[in-house]
Amino acid sequence: MGRRWTTWTGIGLTALLILFLTLPVLLSIVAGLSVNYARGLSAGLTLTWVVQVWDLYADTILRSLIVAAATLVLTLLIGVPGAYALIRRGGRVARLVEEVVTLPVAIPGLALALGLIITYGGFGTFRQSTLFIAVGHVLFTLPFMLRAVMAVLETIDWRVLDEGAASLGAPAWRRFVDVILPNIREGILAGSLTVVTLSVGEFNLTWMMHTPMTKTLPVGLADAYASMRLEIASAYTLVFLVMIVPPLVGLQMVAGPRRERLGP
Amino acid sequence: MRTRRFDLLLILPLAIFTLAFLLLPLARLGVTAAGGERGAMAFLAILTEPRYRTSLIATLLLALATTAATLAIATVAAQTLANRRFPGRGLLLSLLTFPLAFPGVVVGFLVILLGGRLGLVGSVTKAVAGTNVVFAYSLTGLFLGYLYFSVPRVLLTLLAAAEKLDPALGEAARSLGAGPLAIQRDVVLPALFPALYTGGALCFATAMGAFGTAFTLATNVDVVPMLIYTEFTLATNAAMAAALSIALGVVTWLALMLARLRATGA
Amino acid sequence: MTLTANAAPPRGAAITARGLSKSFHGTTVLHPTDLHVPAGEILVLLGPSGCGKTTLLRLIAGLERPDGPDMLRFDGEDVSALPIERRNVGMVFQSYALFPNMTVAENVAYGLRVRGMPSAERKAEAARLLALVGLEEHAGKRITAISGGQRQRCALARALAIKPRVLLLDEPLAALDAVLRERLRAEIGLLLREFGITAVYVTHDQAEAMAIGDRIAVMQAGRIAQIDRPEVIYHRPRNDFVADFVGTMNRLAGPVREGRLILDGGDETRADLPAGGPDRPAILCFRPEAARPHAGPGEEAIRARITATTFFGATQRLLVEVAGQPLRLDLPSGLAFSPGQLAAFTIEGAALLEFPRTV
């Protein structure tokens, strides 16, 4: 009987899918490093385009790193205590609050950005600052931090830990810092890596919110795709890939293959 | 009551941020949408005015087609990958989920590399048949781009479900005389249904709200997010842009809500 | 084991296999095996995990593909090339593999639906089978709404509904608790005989094998070590693996001189057993229940020191020592024994076995 046609169809289709998902990335890497993409690899390899990308877009790359760092700090300060509070309270009210604060996952980034611009467009300095971009990123990534931390809190017996520390005389905030935080490290780490990956790649919100002085890497990418030669666009994409690989690999190691979904 | 104060302190940053940067802007969005020259009728205009209606229908069709194709592909791939051990499996799964982190603009560019003027498909067809096939900037390109970011998303959900499926179920169906298609219809798909439902809703919501891919490909199909962008920046019609945003947000939120109700309720 | 009173004429096919073998990734799990199961017989494949019993079952089912040139016939028809869906075999799985998206009755009727039987007809047939296994009241329920024992019977009814040529059961009771297992194994045995179907039944539980099998094939490391009626397997095991796997076996090792194995512990314990044959070192084996209390005159076979007694109701088990070798003896519980005491026993001569020394 052998393997049935369905099995072979499945293997064939899966192979095609893998090709479809990986081949364009390989093309982009090759294009970013080849002297002339139209003439193929025979023309030779070069780092010229990468250097040019640095000359043209270094500010966007650095700004993306700054925005990601600021977003991470803010989501940690807001998200970790918030997640703990929601778990501590529990019940219907906490469920409702969770529903509201995770809304940005369900609402398209464009709509969120529009709301922010309409509301804060009049605050000139804030509107034109990198912080404004970071706020947008926090809005979008906060649900992921909350979920990662809450997921871990649900698996540990935080109440026993907290009461145990209380019986030893520790005040509430010390119990949080000394006992709870060390036990949810894994969730915080997974959440942080997700936040950084999402922030570095965020486009929808940023494209609406950015000013000429607050361009991030994906905004620059859109720019390059529209106006630069293919090799530079590819080299720029290569820079982006290099930037998101470390947090992605880290995420795989922390969370394994069952990982929180990332945004568009 | 000291803990009560502590709890308030914990939630305070989250509460302030949510009020200032989520609820207030959403409220302002609503006010703006209703405050345009058409007032609350702006929402109705989405359905009555041909330009908006065409765009809405096109977006819905594209999202539905993407969802259907994604579910079909992911169902086959998940069953192929589940319970099959081979060297490099972990790396392969990483590669398959890697595109989750790509922004829509990058996905658009990858489609250009495949089917653009200097694209791989074009150069192959040129060498073989003499014609440079370019599809990146058409509806096909847009569809492939949507597929690119949708499949990995759904594949993870379906793979988890397929791995929980008892292999004996399929064997039992075979022992009773069922062929491969009957097994899919009667055993596998019913078992995968919750995952298909959740994955499908997620896929649909993402496809509805996707912007970057359409932006990069600059297709002549105006999806709703592109429409919002052009209304706001080029036509400076903030009211219409806000109305469209709210409509889009309600559709995607409803899709995800239905999926969750189904997943937890049934 | 004498349930043949209400046996029906055989409805199943005879199974004949020649040279069935299977290896996974270079490891042989089943060496070339010949097997013949007459129509209507219940054959139990018994052995520890990894002995190849499930692989043999799956080869007969058509769920695995045999390695080399092979031959598998159902009533003379060569089925080796047929996939399982065309072999018409009923299969009961350890996990039952009931379809959770269908009701009890829909599960039972599924095989008939696939065969294109009209709805009314297959409903009636499903109802008939459900009545047979005592599930008529649960016909409309979801699989998740019935108990483990009921699921087991539903799986059996589903496999029987297609009127299979051969019924294959893979550890069908392993997922149940001990009490239920004991009840159902009697029920299944009766039901299979009532049906008169050819069945191959895999288990690692020797009590189950004894209760259900017309014949038992004890499997060891990918081979059939012995295939015989249960009483023969028990009383005349061919080697010490079979002896050990089916019930408890005592061993006494010592030199045989002039046809007798004689041990003297030097601590007032001794053994003197008939062994026959030439002088040699030997191991004599016997079952615990072959021991009798030594009463009256005549030579006792064993004088042993009792180390412990366990009360089992009708019987008691004694742990004793003869010349430093431990033995387990089962005796009527009416007799008084106490630890530390010396006691004398005889062994039924016919119960003494000697195996060729393997290791």
Side-chain angles (χ1 to χ4, degrees), chain C residues 2 5 10 43 49 61 82-83 87 137 141 170 179 181 183 189 202 240 252 255 263 265 271-272 312 323 352 357-358:
Chain C
T2 48
L43 175 73
S49 59
L82 292 181
R87 282 193 189 184
E137 288 162 37
K141 285 190 186 162
D170 186 9
V179 179
R181 200 157 57 221
R183 214 189 73 205
V202 163
D240 43 352
L252 270 180
L263 290 169
D272 181 352
F312 279 147
L352 277 175
R357 304 193 66 143
T358 41

Side-chain angles (χ1 to χ4, degrees), chain B residues 222-250:
Chain B
D222 243 352
V223 292
V224 174
M226 276 299 280
L227 195 62
I228 295 173
Y229 173 67
T230 46
E231 282 294 313
F232 185 67
T233 52
L234 303 180
T236 55
N237 187 349
M240 202 56 225
L244 284 166
S245 296
I246 290 172
L248 190 60
V250 168

